[in-house]
Amino acid sequence: MAAAHVEIEDQSSVSTELDNGEILEPLSDADSSSASSGSAILLGQGNQEHDVIKACFLSGLGAAFAVDTTVESVRKTSTEGVAARARYVAFRIFTEAMARKNGGDPNVKYGWFAGSREEIDRIVSYGFSSREIDDGSHGIGVHLVPSKCSLFAAVGAEPDGEGVRHLLLCRVLLGRPEQIDAGSTQSHPSSGEFDCAVDDLQEPRKYIVWSSNMNSYILPSYIVSFKSPRLRVIGRGGPPPSSPWVSFTAVVSVLSKFLDASRMSLIKKTFDDFRKGKIPRDQLVRKMRQVAGDDLLAQIIKNHKDRV
């Protein structure tokens, strides 16, 4: 299954009637008052939605990473509760309006959002906030990864205390996107012709939804929880001699040899904010990946592993 390329852009492939789910509490130990808006439905093995989402996630990892990746659970966000229902209805209304604006095609895609367990729980319960806004690696907005590129999102997912990582799969209302370059500080459409943005019109690896539309154009839909030993890309501190992990300090030092001054300034500022406790680890990882690129970071990790 993992070797085949699976996409879920056809929404009908994951819109089947649930028949074997159960309502769970939020992922984290949230206050009981938010349980109704933040609850999720556990999809069991054999459920069509479960199997489609799992296959899409694994195929996007590629065979090398999928082989020892274990999907712990797939949950579908619930529309129970006033706030959750309102977000669902708002997304549907905006989708219909976008279709009218763009000749009948609202251009709805699925995209992954990577974060910590607590961050994803908060988004499901209350929606996106300023904490999820990327401040300029490819425009100022919420950045998501296309469904077929789950590896790029998985690397940025922070493991919890049990080593389980969590990704949020969302419906993304792209409308007519415009292409913006790396390092752009654009924060809104360049004209009324456009709605969202991408890093590449032909083969996008980033969907950028402007902050003004983040809770109208993004609808959290599924939570995938998984373990993947090979995804230990960037560690939190200095590694023991035999460890494949690399410290942030070492990565920043090596990056300075390859990146121009403006991009290094952005990475150093983010790293400094991390060390001062202003931002979580997963936000630092996302920033490094977005500014430096996955290929360069992968080469740095490989070179480190070859030396130890």
Side-chain angles (χ1 to χ4, degrees):
M1 180 75 73
H5 185 67
V6 179
E7 294 188 55
I8 53 171
E9 303 304 352
D10 178 8
Q11 293 188 52
S12 64
S13 66
V14 289
S15 61
T16 56
E17 183 73 16
L18 292 176
D19 57 5
N20 60 347
E22 58 178 316
I23 299 296
L24 298 181
E25 295 298 321
L27 283 173
S28 63
D29 297 325
D31 188 86
S32 59
S33 64
S34 67
S36 62
S37 63
S39 59
I41 302 167
L42 178 65
L43 304 178
Q45 293 280 353
N47 175 279
Q48 183 179 355
E49 287 177 284
H50 172 282
D51 294 348
V52 169
I53 300 302
K54 178 179 178 180
C56 172
F57 169 68
L58 292 175
S59 69
L61 293 181
F65 286 92
V67 65
D68 60 358
T69 296
T70 302
V71 175
E72 300 289 314
S73 66
V74 177
R75 294 174 171 86
K76 181 177 183 178
T77 59
S78 172
T79 55
E80 295 296 322
V82 175
R85 185 64 183 174
R87 287 193 291 269
Y88 175 81
V89 171
F91 184 83
R92 186 175 64 186
I93 291 172
F94 275 99
T95 299
E96 293 171 352
M98 189 72 75
R100 291 193 295 270
K101 174 181 179 290
N102 293 324
D105 181 12
N107 194 18
V108 176
K109 303 291 186 182
Y110 276 89
W112 300 101
F113 181 86
S116 66
R117 173 176 173 170
E118 293 76 15
E119 185 177 16
I120 287 178
D121 181 43
R122 186 178 65 250
I123 293 169
V124 170
S125 296
Y126 305 112
F128 287 89
S129 69
S130 59
R131 299 178 65 172
E132 286 76 57
I133 295 174
D134 186 286
D135 60 1
S137 66
H138 260 94
I140 301 174
V142 176
H143 292 196
L144 301 99
V145 177
S147 62
K148 66 180 181 180
C149 302
S150 55
L151 176 60
F152 299 139
V155 171
E158 181 178 353
D160 61 22
E162 298 179 352
V164 179
R165 300 169 186 253
H166 309 276
L167 289 179
L168 185 61
L169 184 62
C170 306
R171 293 183 187 181
V172 186
L173 179 57
L174 286 178
R176 180 171 294 173
E178 60 183 303
Q179 180 173 320
I180 58 176
D181 297 328
S184 170
T185 57
Q186 185 174 327
S187 61
H188 52 78
S190 61
S191 74
E193 178 184 359
F194 302 110
D195 306 296
C196 294
V198 293
D199 62 331
D200 187 289
L201 289 173
Q202 301 304 317
E203 291 291 335
R205 290 192 176 184
K206 291 185 179 72
Y207 297 148
I208 300 98
V209 177
W210 308 121
S211 58
S212 58
N213 297 320
M214 59 187 178
N215 286 309
S216 303
Y217 290 5
I218 308 174
L219 182 66
S221 300
Y222 298 91
I223 303 160
V224 175
S225 301
F226 65 98
K227 289 184 177 180
S228 187
R230 295 177 185 244
L231 287 180
R232 295 183 301 173
V233 174
I234 302 180
R236 303 185 182 194
S242 62
S243 172
W245 289 39
V246 186
S247 70
F248 284 123
T249 301
V251 172
V252 172
S253 176
V254 176
L255 285 175
S256 66
K257 302 175 183 178
F258 295 93
L259 301 182
D260 57 53
S262 61
R263 286 193 289 175
M264 275 310 304
S265 177
L266 185 57
I267 284 182
K268 287 179 178 178
K269 179 183 181 301
T270 307
F271 183 38
D272 189 53
D273 287 344
F274 169 74
R275 289 192 295 185
K276 292 177 180 177
K278 294 181 178 180
I279 62 171
R281 173 182 172 276
D282 60 284
Q283 187 171 334
L284 173 60
V285 172
R286 284 203 303 271
K287 178 64 69 177
M288 283 186 164
R289 293 181 58 238
Q290 291 161 350
V291 175
D294 294 305
D295 292 340
L296 177 57
L297 287 174
Q299 188 62 45
I300 292 173
I301 303 303
K302 180 180 183 299
N303 290 343
H304 170 82
K305 291 171 67 176
D306 289 343
R307 291 196 303 267
V308 300

